[in-house]
């Protein structure tokens, strides 16, 4: 979570992580709105908004007489697969013809606390961090920062090279992922990088990639100007039964 996200977004992310990590399972009841408001120090309206957000994500459902409970997982064969096309994740570069990718950093570092929580590691752990800029018509339109477990450096040493990678990096084998989008005011560095005014918002596309055993392989944040087009492409797989 980004600290500047609205409170309802932070609450939504908290429960989403609890569900994703299996600490809250299908059928488990979520706290009532009043309890959530007290726990997070927010209004009842904010707590209700977080509940609506979780419902919109398909993570919870409301049952008469039971309140809000964790929804059963959607079978993967019925899910859409895809991702943001403005730029791909750590192992690839931009996809729009004419765009250019420039790797700003590729090194091991200690992750910020919010990133450590997304990766499921301690803030004191070392992780791989890659920062990549997408250039369009001579201007920076997007910045992508990807964090990956340091253990991947053995199987995918190319992740530590400060050059755009051609195709999938060896040893980087995501099985599935999730993306969510938020908006926030830009930092001072972002106003200079994107050439925007201090009050102009930026789009942040958050992405997590998991391996076949549901361990997090990558957490990434793509930050783009509000007027950038973040397009998604989906491929649907049907149910033959």
């Amino acid at each position: 979570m980004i600290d500047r996200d609205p409170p309802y977004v932070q609450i939504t992310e908290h429960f989403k992580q609890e569900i994703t990590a299996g600490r809250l399972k299908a059928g488990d009841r979520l706290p009532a709105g009043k309890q959530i408001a007290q726990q997070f120090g927010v209004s009842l309206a904010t707590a209700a908004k977080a509940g609506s957000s979780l419902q919109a994500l398909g993570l919870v459902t409301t049952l008469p007489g039971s309140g809000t409970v964790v929804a059963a997982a959607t079978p993967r064969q019925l899910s859409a697969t895809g991702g943001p096309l403005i730029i791909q994740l750590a192992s690839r570069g931009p996809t729009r013809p004419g765009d250019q990718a420039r790797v700003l950093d590729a090194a091991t570092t200690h992750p910020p606390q919010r990133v450590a929580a997304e990766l499921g590691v301690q803030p004191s752990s070392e992780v791989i961090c890659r920062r990549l800029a997408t250039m369009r018509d001579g201007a920076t339109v997007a910045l992508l920062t990807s964090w990956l477990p340091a253990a991947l450096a053995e199987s995918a040493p190319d992740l530590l090279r400060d050059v755009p990678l051609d195709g999938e990096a060896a040893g980087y084998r995501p099985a599935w992922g999730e993306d969510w989008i938020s908006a926030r005011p830009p930092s001072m560095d972002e106003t200079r990088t994107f050439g925007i005014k201090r009050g102009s918002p930026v789009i942040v596309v958050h992405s997590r990639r998991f391996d076949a055993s549901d361990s997090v392989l990558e957490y990434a944040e793509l930050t783009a100007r509000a007027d950038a087009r973040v397009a998604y492409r989906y491929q649907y797989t049907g149910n033959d039964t």
Side-chain angles (χ1 to χ4, degrees):
M1 291 184 293
I2 292 179
D3 292 339
R4 288 170 290 182
D5 281 341
Y8 86 91
V9 174
Q10 297 185 41
I11 297 170
T12 300
E13 288 304 314
H14 167 77
F15 284 108
K16 187 167 90 169
Q17 290 178 24
E18 292 295 291
I19 294 168
T20 301
R23 290 185 287 270
L24 285 174
K25 298 178 173 57
D28 286 352
R29 182 187 295 184
L30 263 65
K34 186 176 181 180
Q35 292 175 288
I36 292 175
Q38 291 174 343
Q39 179 182 348
F40 292 92
V42 297
S43 67
L44 284 173
T46 297
K49 193 172 182 180
S52 297
S53 179
L54 289 166
Q55 277 192 283
L57 292 170
L59 296 173
V60 302
T61 188
T62 302
L63 297 179
S66 298
T68 301
V69 300
V70 178
T74 302
R76 285 194 193 150
Q77 66 269 24
L78 300 180
S79 300
T81 59
L85 297 183
I86 187 172
I87 193 170
Q88 296 176 354
L89 295 184
S91 56
R92 300 182 181 179
T95 59
R96 178 167 163 174
D99 285 357
Q100 294 180 330
R102 182 163 61 94
V103 177
L104 306 177
D105 299 295
T108 56
T109 186
H110 297 295
Q113 187 169 357
R114 59 181 174 76
V115 173
E118 296 291 352
L119 287 174
V121 300
Q122 295 297 320
S124 58
S125 303
E126 279 203 336
V127 298
I128 299 169
C129 179
R130 287 181 60 86
R131 296 177 61 242
L132 185 145
T134 296
M135 314 296 295
R136 184 175 299 157
D137 299 326
T140 302
V141 294
L143 293 170
L144 175 72
T145 305
S146 293
W147 293 270
L148 309 98
L152 274 177
E154 279 190 39
S155 57
D158 287 349
L159 292 173
L160 288 173
R161 297 178 60 218
D162 59 354
V163 294
L165 303 177
D166 183 16
E168 295 287 1
Y172 177 83
R173 294 290 181 269
W176 65 283
E178 61 178 4
D179 303 321
W180 62 101
I181 302 174
S182 64
R184 58 170 172 79
S187 66
M188 291 300 294
D189 284 343
E190 289 164 348
T191 60
R192 290 191 292 267
T193 298
F194 294 132
I196 58 178
K197 294 181 179 179
R198 187 73 178 95
S200 300
V202 291
I203 300 168
V204 184
V205 180
H206 310 256
S207 297
R208 287 203 301 175
R209 298 294 177 260
F210 300 81
D211 62 19
S213 63
D214 294 342
S215 296
V216 181
L217 280 178
E218 176 178 16
Y219 171 66
E221 293 176 353
L222 176 126
T223 308
R225 295 168 51 117
D227 58 359
R229 179 180 178 181
V230 181
Y232 278 72
R233 177 175 296 161
Y234 299 96
Q235 180 178 355
Y236 289 94
T237 56
N239 191 344
D240 295 331
T241 61

